[in-house]
Amino acid sequence: YYVVEMGVDKPGDMDYLLGIFEPDYSVILNIYPAHIGNFPGGYAEYADQKRLIAEGTSEKGFVLIPSDMDGKSDMESRAEVITFGKQGSYITDGVQVSAEGISFDLRMPNGGVLEIKNSMTLGEEYVNTFAAAAAVCNELNVSSKNIVEGIRKYAPPPGRLRLIEGESDVLIIDSSYNASQIPTINALKTLGRFKDRRKIACIGDMRELGKAEKEEHKALIPHIKENSDLVVLVGPLTKKYILPGLE
């Protein structure tokens, strides 16, 4: 299999990518409000562009989407649509997220259950990531043993909620790759799970949000207060929108 990430950060991106090849199987993990400042129609246009991957997927394959995805009822697809999440074809149950990692049961359409565990990932968003990966593998007839073992061995790439051990017993949670509101809130919640440590949050500007930048930055304030002992703000947007809410 040839696996491709098909992202969009401006109008026409998905149309361009679908003009190169037709996916046999597609996965939409989420549609968070990122890069929406590049779309004249804001979040609605951005979400429509991401959902185009479903329309472009081969009728012989399938599209896997979250059961609670925005605009699911408006999505067009020639392929079979399979859902996952707290409801759907593949259901996540008994989710446990802590400083020691992630575990949950994945209930499958055939009645079987996969016990998913990983000690190297910290963020709650990885629950859906692992559920989607397991669902795709199951649909493609990968054995349950190989699915569980593959997820157990997974280590996140740099900048994606990766835990780094520093000097003097310092732990660094590296979530520096990119940022939008929901992943940043999830990162702050992850920081807050380290109950027995002093917690310092380093928050940079979230860019390409257009008219929504004020609302998106201000949404972080209660989570910063709840999950950190000290915050370092970097950039003019955090100074303009977040700092007044912390003083």
Side-chain angles (χ1 to χ4, degrees):
Y1 296 98
Y2 182 55
V3 181
V4 181
E5 179 181 5
M6 299 173 67
V8 299
D9 60 17
K10 62 183 182 298
D13 276 355
M14 189 61 73
D15 293 296
Y16 171 77
L17 292 170
L18 290 171
I20 298 173
F21 55 83
E22 178 187 67
D24 294 304
Y25 312 103
S26 300
V27 178
I28 301 177
L29 277 179
N30 58 65
I31 305 181
Y32 294 154
H35 311 297
I36 56 177
N38 298 336
F39 291 81
Y43 174 77
E45 183 182 356
Y46 168 76
D48 286 343
Q49 187 72 193
K50 289 200 74 170
R51 285 192 291 263
L52 282 177
I53 193 172
E55 185 177 328
T57 300
S58 168
E59 62 185 6
K60 298 178 181 179
F62 62 79
V63 179
L64 184 72
I65 65 171
S67 57
D68 59 353
M69 187 183 79
D70 288 342
K72 180 177 63 175
S73 59
D74 299 327
M75 188 182 74
E76 297 182 8
S77 178
R78 300 170 295 164
E80 177 187 6
V81 176
I82 303 172
T83 56
F84 70 97
K86 295 179 181 179
Q87 298 178 335
S89 306
Y90 290 83
I91 300 174
T92 55
D93 191 22
V95 174
Q96 298 291 325
V97 181
S98 71
E100 284 71 48
I102 292 171
S103 65
F104 63 93
D105 290 337
L106 184 66
R107 304 193 178 280
M108 300 189 295
N110 64 2
V113 178
L114 296 182
E115 295 182 4
I116 304 297
K117 295 181 180 180
N118 182 280
S119 61
M120 291 179 279
T121 53
L122 302 172
E124 191 170 352
E125 61 265 38
Y126 274 106
V127 172
N128 266 5
T129 301
F130 290 153
V136 169
C137 288
N138 184 67
E139 291 293 324
L140 299 181
N141 298 315
V142 177
S143 72
S144 296
K145 179 181 178 182
N146 286 343
I147 293 172
V148 170
E149 185 65 9
I151 292 175
R152 185 187 68 80
K153 293 180 177 180
Y154 173 81
R160 299 286 193 178
L161 279 179
R162 188 167 186 164
L163 191 64
I164 301 171
E165 294 186 5
E167 296 183 356
S168 304
D169 198 34
V170 170
L171 295 177
I172 301 169
I173 302 172
D174 176 18
S175 186
S176 59
Y177 175 76
N178 209 337
S180 58
Q181 183 205 132
I182 296 175
T184 303
I185 289 174
N186 286 337
L188 286 165
K189 290 180 178 179
T190 298
L191 178 65
R193 293 190 180 100
F194 289 81
K195 302 295 185 182
D196 58 343
R197 290 176 174 267
R198 185 170 185 247
K199 295 173 284 293
I200 302 173
C202 298
I203 307 293
D205 288 350
M206 298 185 294
R207 300 299 182 96
E208 299 181 352
L209 294 174
K211 296 178 181 179
E213 67 179 21
K214 178 180 180 179
E215 176 185 346
E216 295 291 297
H217 281 85
K218 290 184 71 173
L220 304 182
I221 294 172
H223 301 281
I224 293 171
K225 290 180 177 179
E226 181 180 353
N227 294 291
S228 63
D229 302 307
L230 175 69
V231 62
V232 178
L233 301 177
V234 181
L237 299 181
T238 61
K239 181 180 180 180
K240 183 177 182 180
Y241 300 125
I242 295 178
L243 182 59
L246 298 175
E247 293 179 326

